[in-house]
Amino acid sequence: MTERPEARLAAFARSRHGVFTRDVARRLGFTDRQIRYRIATGRWVALPGGGLMPAGCPVTFESRLAGAVLSVPTAAAAFESAGRMLVVRGAVGDEPVIVVRRGGNHRRPGVRIHESADLRDRDVQRVGGIDVTTRERTLCDLGRVLSDGDLHGAFDDQLHRGLVTLDGLYGFFYRYARRGRPGVARVRRLLAAYEPGFVVPESVLARRTLDLIRSSGLPVPDGQVPLTFWDDLLGRVAFAYLAERIVIEVDGRRFHGSEVFESDRERDNAAGLAGWRVLRFTWAMVTERPEYVLATIAEALAQARRRAA
């Protein structure tokens, strides 16, 4: 026997702190007329920030947050609300806070809404029946709203409890960080204090560099090119313009160990002697001075072409 709409709705609501929406009710078999009747007669009650509940169900922080998230497509609990759901130290506040993908009118009474141009499916998990930003994103978002002391305490607590790792935080942060984003500088300083010698993963920095070059309209270089510069010095370079004999290297190290630093300089010298020009850019240059990176590449290409003419 097919399950009745009331039973399907009750099962859904139980998994969402008693909350559902008109769209959910329609999807589970209720007509618009049935929905209007139940609201008009008080059997279903509308929550201020969005969503519906059966009459008599207790209204809690979780139910109000679930209603806000369910009522806005692509929404997830974020900032202090995500922190509360994930039990992050220092994340307090009774006002539901959600993040949505940019675009559209998402205003809801009693709900604080942040728009994001880079909210991705992998940045969201389900906690207690509510879509919530991941721990890594939540901690980085809290850099915008917590005091320095509370932010440090939140990071420490999550790390010491094994709920996040430094590698996971670094990996997310260098995808999340962009110039001018509120809180990024504070989180960057905090991460640097945990591990001053941290190396930005090569793949992350290389991808950011390639995206920058592509967006500028400059020619796209070849990537991960093996080149023999001098005798037995064989190196795999990040990028190269083969015709112009230009090498582009990206360096995510905050501090240079002497052995690695010496090796890189030796290879740069060998490349120069073999007739190649080496351009070396750091994470800070790529993310904070992109105009410098692009201008340097453009000038190197122009000089190479003038020499060849």
Side-chain angles (χ1 to χ4, degrees), residues 67-79:
V69 170
L70 283 172
S71 66
V72 182
T74 75
F79 293 85

Side-chain angles (χ1 to χ4, degrees), residues 92-113:
V92 296
D94 197 47
E95 179 186 36
V97 186
I98 64 175
V99 62
V100 300
R101 290 185 174 90
R102 184 164 293 165
N105 181 9
H106 302 299
R107 292 185 180 182
R108 294 292 186 279
V111 179
R112 193 165 89 238
I113 299 178

